[in-house]
Amino acid sequence: MPLLQVKNLKTYYQTARGYVKAVDGVNFQIEEGEVFGLAGESGCGKTTVALSIIRLLPPGGRIIDGKIIFNDKNILTMSEEDIRKIRWKKIAIVFQGAMNALNPVIKVGDQIVEAITTHENVSKEDAWKRTEKLFEMVGIDPSRAKDYPHEFSGGMKQRVMIAMALACNPQLLIADEPATALDVIVQAQILKLMRELQRKMNLSMMLITHDLSIIAETCNKVAIMYAGKIVEYADTKRIFRDPQHPYTRGLINAFPSIRGPKRKLISIPGTPPDLLNPPSGCRFHPRCPYTNDKCKKIEPELKDIGERHYVACHMSW
Ligand code: SF4
Protein backbone atom coordinates (compact mmCIF):
# COMPACT_ATOMS: atom_id res chain seq x y z
CA MET A 1 0.00 0.00 0.00
CA PRO A 2 1.51 3.38 -1.00
CA LEU A 3 2.10 5.92 1.79
CA LEU A 4 0.25 8.66 -0.11
CA GLN A 5 -2.26 8.41 -2.94
CA VAL A 6 -3.62 11.52 -4.64
CA LYS A 7 -6.71 10.67 -6.69
CA ASN A 8 -8.42 12.99 -9.15
CA LEU A 9 -7.51 16.05 -7.06
CA LYS A 10 -9.17 19.27 -8.15
CA THR A 11 -8.29 22.47 -6.31
CA TYR A 12 -9.65 25.78 -7.56
CA TYR A 13 -9.25 29.39 -6.42
CA GLN A 14 -12.30 31.59 -6.39
CA THR A 15 -11.64 35.05 -7.82
CA ALA A 16 -13.85 37.99 -8.82
CA ARG A 17 -13.51 36.79 -12.44
CA GLY A 18 -14.37 33.13 -11.77
CA TYR A 19 -12.57 29.94 -10.74
CA VAL A 20 -8.85 29.50 -11.41
CA LYS A 21 -8.47 25.76 -12.02
CA ALA A 22 -5.03 25.49 -10.45
CA VAL A 23 -5.11 21.70 -10.01
CA ASP A 24 -7.56 19.90 -12.26
CA GLY A 25 -7.70 16.13 -11.88
CA VAL A 26 -4.27 15.14 -10.62
CA ASN A 27 -3.34 11.52 -9.76
CA PHE A 28 -0.09 10.12 -8.33
CA GLN A 29 1.21 8.07 -5.45
CA ILE A 30 4.28 8.00 -3.24
CA GLU A 31 5.68 4.79 -1.76
CA GLU A 32 7.49 4.53 1.55
CA GLY A 33 11.11 5.62 1.26
CA GLU A 34 10.57 7.03 -2.23
CA VAL A 35 11.59 10.45 -3.54
CA PHE A 36 8.87 11.73 -5.86
CA GLY A 37 9.46 14.81 -7.99
CA LEU A 38 6.75 17.18 -9.18
CA ALA A 39 8.09 19.41 -11.94
CA GLY A 40 6.82 22.10 -14.28
CA GLU A 41 6.94 25.83 -14.99
CA SER A 42 5.86 28.39 -12.37
CA GLY A 43 2.09 28.61 -11.98
CA CYS A 44 1.39 25.06 -13.18
CA GLY A 45 -0.18 24.08 -9.83
CA LYS A 46 2.71 22.28 -8.10
CA THR A 47 2.55 24.28 -4.87
CA THR A 48 -1.25 24.04 -4.79
CA VAL A 49 -0.92 20.24 -4.84
CA ALA A 50 1.37 20.45 -1.78
CA LEU A 51 -0.93 22.87 0.06
CA SER A 52 -3.91 20.63 -0.69
CA ILE A 53 -2.10 17.63 0.83
CA ILE A 54 -1.62 19.46 4.14
CA ARG A 55 -4.94 21.34 3.78
CA LEU A 56 -3.36 24.75 4.15
CA LEU A 57 -4.75 26.55 1.13
CA PRO A 58 -4.73 30.35 1.05
CA PRO A 59 -8.06 32.22 1.19
CA GLY A 60 -10.20 31.54 -1.89
CA GLY A 61 -8.67 28.07 -2.38
CA ARG A 62 -11.07 25.11 -2.33
CA ILE A 63 -10.65 21.41 -2.91
CA ILE A 64 -13.52 20.69 -5.28
CA ASP A 65 -13.06 16.96 -5.78
CA GLY A 66 -10.77 14.00 -5.23
CA LYS A 67 -9.17 12.00 -2.45
CA ILE A 68 -5.83 12.27 -0.67
CA ILE A 69 -5.18 8.96 1.06
CA PHE A 70 -2.37 9.03 3.60
CA ASN A 71 -1.69 5.89 5.66
CA ASP A 72 -5.02 4.51 4.47
CA LYS A 73 -7.07 7.55 5.60
CA ASN A 74 -8.57 10.27 3.44
CA ILE A 75 -7.07 13.59 4.53
CA LEU A 76 -9.89 15.48 2.83
CA THR A 77 -12.58 14.04 5.11
CA MET A 78 -10.62 14.43 8.37
CA SER A 79 -11.67 16.86 11.06
CA GLU A 80 -9.51 19.97 11.62
CA GLU A 81 -8.28 18.40 14.87
CA ASP A 82 -7.19 15.17 13.12
CA ILE A 83 -5.42 17.01 10.33
CA ARG A 84 -3.53 19.08 12.92
CA LYS A 85 -2.20 15.79 14.41
CA ILE A 86 -0.83 14.79 11.01
CA ARG A 87 0.62 18.13 9.97
CA TRP A 88 4.23 18.44 11.05
CA LYS A 89 4.21 15.11 12.96
CA LYS A 90 3.51 12.88 9.95
CA ILE A 91 3.74 15.26 7.00
CA ALA A 92 6.20 18.15 7.24
CA ILE A 93 6.84 20.81 4.66
CA VAL A 94 9.74 23.10 3.81
CA PHE A 95 8.39 26.03 1.82
CA GLN A 96 10.18 28.01 -0.84
CA GLY A 97 12.16 30.77 0.91
CA ALA A 98 11.21 29.20 4.26
CA MET A 99 14.45 30.45 5.78
CA ASN A 100 12.96 33.95 5.79
CA ALA A 101 10.13 32.68 7.99
CA LEU A 102 12.42 32.32 11.04
CA ASN A 103 11.46 34.78 13.77
CA PRO A 104 14.36 37.30 13.92
CA VAL A 105 14.00 37.98 17.66
CA ILE A 106 13.96 34.36 18.89
CA LYS A 107 17.02 32.12 19.05
CA VAL A 108 16.85 29.43 16.36
CA GLY A 109 17.05 26.58 18.88
CA ASP A 110 14.11 27.98 20.83
CA GLN A 111 12.07 28.10 17.61
CA ILE A 112 12.68 24.38 17.05
CA VAL A 113 11.95 23.60 20.72
CA GLU A 114 8.65 25.44 20.32
CA ALA A 115 7.79 23.41 17.21
CA ILE A 116 8.51 20.16 19.10
CA THR A 117 6.63 21.04 22.30
CA THR A 118 3.61 22.31 20.30
CA HIS A 119 3.21 18.96 18.58
CA GLU A 120 4.50 16.50 21.16
CA ASN A 121 4.11 16.03 24.85
CA VAL A 122 7.80 16.41 25.79
CA SER A 123 9.60 18.63 28.29
CA LYS A 124 11.53 21.68 27.09
CA GLU A 125 14.72 20.05 28.30
CA ASP A 126 14.18 16.94 26.16
CA ALA A 127 13.11 19.08 23.20
CA TRP A 128 16.35 21.07 23.54
CA LYS A 129 18.41 17.84 23.54
CA ARG A 130 16.56 16.74 20.41
CA THR A 131 17.22 20.14 18.81
CA GLU A 132 20.97 19.75 19.40
CA LYS A 133 20.88 16.30 17.76
CA LEU A 134 18.94 17.74 14.82
CA PHE A 135 21.57 20.46 14.43
CA GLU A 136 24.27 17.78 14.26
CA MET A 137 22.21 15.89 11.68
CA VAL A 138 21.96 18.89 9.39
CA GLY A 139 25.65 19.73 9.78
CA ILE A 140 25.49 22.69 12.19
CA ASP A 141 27.46 22.87 15.42
CA PRO A 142 24.82 22.32 18.17
CA SER A 143 26.22 25.29 20.15
CA ARG A 144 24.82 27.54 17.36
CA ALA A 145 21.28 26.68 18.53
CA LYS A 146 21.65 29.62 20.93
CA ASP A 147 22.22 32.09 18.07
CA TYR A 148 19.70 34.38 16.36
CA PRO A 149 18.68 33.96 12.68
CA HIS A 150 20.68 37.03 11.55
CA GLU A 151 23.87 35.23 12.66
CA PHE A 152 23.31 32.53 10.00
CA SER A 153 23.94 32.56 6.25
CA GLY A 154 21.08 31.71 3.83
CA GLY A 155 22.27 28.10 3.47
CA MET A 156 22.57 27.67 7.26
CA LYS A 157 19.07 29.08 7.77
CA GLN A 158 17.72 26.59 5.25
CA ARG A 159 19.48 23.80 7.20
CA VAL A 160 17.71 25.07 10.32
CA MET A 161 14.38 24.92 8.49
CA ILE A 162 15.11 21.33 7.41
CA ALA A 163 15.98 20.46 11.04
CA MET A 164 12.68 22.02 12.11
CA ALA A 165 10.74 20.05 9.50
CA LEU A 166 12.35 16.81 10.69
CA ALA A 167 11.94 17.63 14.39
CA CYS A 168 8.90 15.37 14.89
CA ASN A 169 10.25 12.54 12.74
CA PRO A 170 7.68 12.78 9.90
CA GLN A 171 6.94 10.00 7.41
CA LEU A 172 6.63 12.38 4.47
CA LEU A 173 8.64 15.52 3.84
CA ILE A 174 7.37 17.92 1.20
CA ALA A 175 10.07 20.28 -0.05
CA ASP A 176 8.81 23.10 -2.26
CA GLU A 177 11.73 24.60 -4.21
CA PRO A 178 13.91 24.08 -1.11
CA ALA A 179 17.08 25.51 -2.60
CA THR A 180 15.85 28.01 -5.19
CA ALA A 181 16.84 31.18 -3.32
CA LEU A 182 20.40 29.96 -2.71
CA ASP A 183 23.52 30.17 -4.85
CA VAL A 184 24.41 27.07 -6.88
CA ILE A 185 27.07 25.71 -4.55
CA VAL A 186 24.91 26.05 -1.42
CA GLN A 187 21.99 24.68 -3.42
CA ALA A 188 23.99 21.52 -4.20
CA GLN A 189 24.98 21.16 -0.52
CA ILE A 190 21.36 21.47 0.65
CA LEU A 191 20.13 18.91 -1.87
CA LYS A 192 22.94 16.53 -0.94
CA LEU A 193 22.00 16.92 2.73
CA MET A 194 18.33 16.24 1.98
CA ARG A 195 19.21 13.11 0.01
CA GLU A 196 21.43 11.84 2.85
CA LEU A 197 18.76 12.48 5.49
CA GLN A 198 16.08 10.88 3.33
CA ARG A 199 18.14 7.68 3.02
CA LYS A 200 19.19 7.64 6.65
CA MET A 201 15.64 8.14 7.97
CA ASN A 202 13.95 6.13 5.17
CA LEU A 203 11.78 9.21 4.62
CA SER A 204 9.35 9.56 1.77
CA MET A 205 9.92 12.86 0.05
CA MET A 206 7.98 14.96 -2.42
CA LEU A 207 10.28 17.42 -4.13
CA ILE A 208 8.68 20.29 -6.00
CA THR A 209 10.86 22.14 -8.46
CA HIS A 210 10.99 23.82 -11.85
CA ASP A 211 14.58 22.58 -12.22
CA LEU A 212 14.84 19.24 -14.02
CA SER A 213 18.50 18.82 -13.12
CA ILE A 214 17.46 18.62 -9.44
CA ILE A 215 14.86 15.97 -10.33
CA ALA A 216 17.44 13.96 -12.28
CA GLU A 217 19.87 13.98 -9.34
CA THR A 218 17.36 13.36 -6.57
CA CYS A 219 14.11 11.59 -7.49
CA ASN A 220 13.08 7.97 -8.13
CA LYS A 221 9.89 8.96 -9.90
CA VAL A 222 8.67 12.16 -11.52
CA ALA A 223 5.41 13.73 -12.65
CA ILE A 224 5.49 16.61 -15.11
CA MET A 225 2.71 19.14 -14.57
CA TYR A 226 1.34 21.57 -17.10
CA ALA A 227 -1.57 23.98 -16.56
CA GLY A 228 -3.04 22.12 -13.58
CA LYS A 229 -2.65 18.61 -15.02
CA ILE A 230 -0.05 15.86 -15.02
CA VAL A 231 1.05 15.30 -18.60
CA GLU A 232 3.72 12.65 -18.04
CA TYR A 233 4.55 10.41 -15.10
CA ALA A 234 7.18 7.66 -14.84
CA ASP A 235 10.39 6.44 -13.34
CA THR A 236 12.91 9.33 -13.50
CA LYS A 237 15.47 7.44 -15.59
CA ARG A 238 12.80 6.51 -18.10
CA ILE A 239 11.51 10.08 -18.45
CA PHE A 240 15.00 11.43 -19.13
CA ARG A 241 15.92 8.56 -21.45
CA ASP A 242 12.67 8.46 -23.39
CA PRO A 243 10.44 11.53 -22.82
CA GLN A 244 7.16 11.16 -24.68
CA HIS A 245 5.15 14.31 -24.11
CA PRO A 246 6.17 17.32 -26.26
CA TYR A 247 6.13 19.50 -23.10
CA THR A 248 8.51 17.16 -21.25
CA ARG A 249 10.80 17.13 -24.29
CA GLY A 250 10.67 20.92 -24.34
CA LEU A 251 11.58 21.14 -20.65
CA ILE A 252 14.49 18.72 -21.07
CA ASN A 253 15.77 20.65 -24.10
CA ALA A 254 15.63 23.87 -22.10
CA PHE A 255 18.07 22.55 -19.46
CA PRO A 256 21.79 21.97 -19.95
CA SER A 257 22.99 18.39 -19.52
CA ILE A 258 26.01 18.14 -17.21
CA ARG A 259 27.06 14.64 -18.25
CA GLY A 260 25.73 14.42 -21.80
CA PRO A 261 27.21 15.97 -24.97
CA LYS A 262 27.01 19.75 -25.48
CA ARG A 263 23.77 20.81 -27.17
CA LYS A 264 21.91 23.99 -27.97
CA LEU A 265 19.29 24.92 -25.36
CA ILE A 266 15.85 25.57 -26.81
CA SER A 267 13.17 27.31 -24.77
CA ILE A 268 9.49 26.38 -25.14
CA PRO A 269 7.74 29.07 -27.20
CA GLY A 270 4.78 30.95 -25.71
CA THR A 271 3.62 31.15 -22.12
CA PRO A 272 1.48 28.93 -19.88
CA PRO A 273 -2.27 29.54 -20.27
CA ASP A 274 -4.58 31.56 -18.03
CA LEU A 275 -6.18 28.93 -15.79
CA LEU A 276 -9.34 31.05 -15.44
CA ASN A 277 -10.04 30.12 -18.99
CA PRO A 278 -7.77 27.22 -20.06
CA PRO A 279 -7.52 26.19 -23.73
CA SER A 280 -9.95 23.55 -25.02
CA GLY A 281 -8.77 19.98 -25.68
CA CYS A 282 -5.11 19.54 -24.80
CA ARG A 283 -4.07 22.51 -22.67
CA PHE A 284 -0.63 22.48 -24.29
CA HIS A 285 -1.98 22.78 -27.84
CA PRO A 286 -1.30 26.55 -28.32
CA ARG A 287 2.42 25.88 -27.67
CA CYS A 288 2.81 22.41 -29.15
CA PRO A 289 4.62 21.95 -32.50
CA TYR A 290 2.51 18.85 -33.26
CA THR A 291 -0.99 20.31 -32.67
CA ASN A 292 -3.78 19.04 -34.90
CA ASP A 293 -7.57 19.44 -34.88
CA LYS A 294 -8.10 16.53 -32.47
CA CYS A 295 -5.71 18.17 -29.97
CA LYS A 296 -7.76 21.37 -30.04
CA LYS A 297 -11.05 19.58 -29.35
CA ILE A 298 -10.41 16.47 -27.26
CA GLU A 299 -8.54 16.39 -23.99
CA PRO A 300 -5.97 13.54 -23.98
CA GLU A 301 -6.20 11.11 -21.05
CA LEU A 302 -3.18 10.09 -19.01
CA LYS A 303 -2.54 6.56 -20.35
CA ASP A 304 -0.05 3.85 -19.42
CA ILE A 305 2.12 3.24 -22.47
CA GLY A 306 3.98 0.40 -20.72
CA GLU A 307 6.17 -0.11 -17.66
CA ARG A 308 4.10 2.39 -15.67
CA HIS A 309 5.01 5.22 -17.99
CA TYR A 310 1.94 7.47 -18.25
CA VAL A 311 1.50 10.09 -20.97
CA ALA A 312 -1.37 12.46 -21.80
CA CYS A 313 -0.89 13.08 -25.50
CA HIS A 314 -2.85 11.94 -28.57
CA MET A 315 0.41 11.26 -30.34
CA SER A 316 2.65 9.66 -27.72
CA TRP A 317 5.48 8.15 -29.64
FE1 SF4 B 1 0.70 18.28 -28.61
FE2 SF4 B 1 -1.61 17.22 -29.33
FE3 SF4 B 1 0.00 15.86 -27.75
FE4 SF4 B 1 -1.26 17.99 -26.85
S1 SF4 B 1 -2.20 16.09 -27.52
S2 SF4 B 1 0.84 17.50 -26.52
S3 SF4 B 1 -1.25 19.32 -28.63
S4 SF4 B 1 0.41 16.45 -29.87
Side-chain angles (χ1 to χ4, degrees), residues 58-72:
R62 268 187 63 198
I63 297 170
I64 304 289
D65 199 5
K67 287 183 182 166
I68 298 176
I69 312 288
F70 179 73
N71 274 338
D72 230 2

Side-chain angles (χ1 to χ4, degrees), residues 106-169:
I106 300 179
K107 291 173 183 169
V108 288
D110 286 334
Q111 297 189 49
I112 298 182
V113 166
E114 194 188 334
I116 297 172
T117 50
T118 304
H119 295 92
E120 285 186 30
N121 192 16
V122 290
S123 67
K124 279 200 172 176
E125 202 185 5
D126 286 346
W128 187 264
K129 279 185 200 151
R130 202 194 293 180
T131 299
E132 289 184 330
K133 276 195 191 135
L134 284 161
F135 264 54
E136 263 174 39
M137 256 170 64
V138 298
I140 306 178
D141 181 342
S143 66
R144 302 285 318 266
K146 292 183 181 134
D147 291 345
Y148 288 93
H150 73 268
E151 295 174 270
F152 289 78
S153 65
M156 298 269 273
K157 278 194 245 180
Q158 198 62 336
R159 284 174 190 258
V160 171
M161 293 312 294
I162 294 168
M164 199 184 279
L166 299 179
C168 295
N169 211 4

Side-chain angles (χ1 to χ4, degrees), residues 225-241:
M225 254 188 112
Y226 182 78
K229 291 182 176 285
I230 288 178
V231 294
E232 189 157 4
Y233 174 38
D235 178 84
T236 306
K237 280 190 190 135
R238 194 173 160 120
I239 288 238
F240 282 90
R241 199 180 53 231

Side-chain angles (χ1 to χ4, degrees), residues 70-82:
F70 179 73
N71 274 338
D72 230 2
K73 292 198 181 93
N74 187 1
I75 285 179
L76 301 186
T77 55
M78 281 180 189
S79 65
E80 233 354 273
E81 198 191 333
D82 286 345

Side-chain angles (χ1 to χ4, degrees), residues 28-41:
F28 64 86
Q29 61 185 46
I30 304 178
E31 311 290 335
E32 274 187 39
E34 182 176 65
V35 185
F36 169 77
L38 191 57
E41 289 165 293

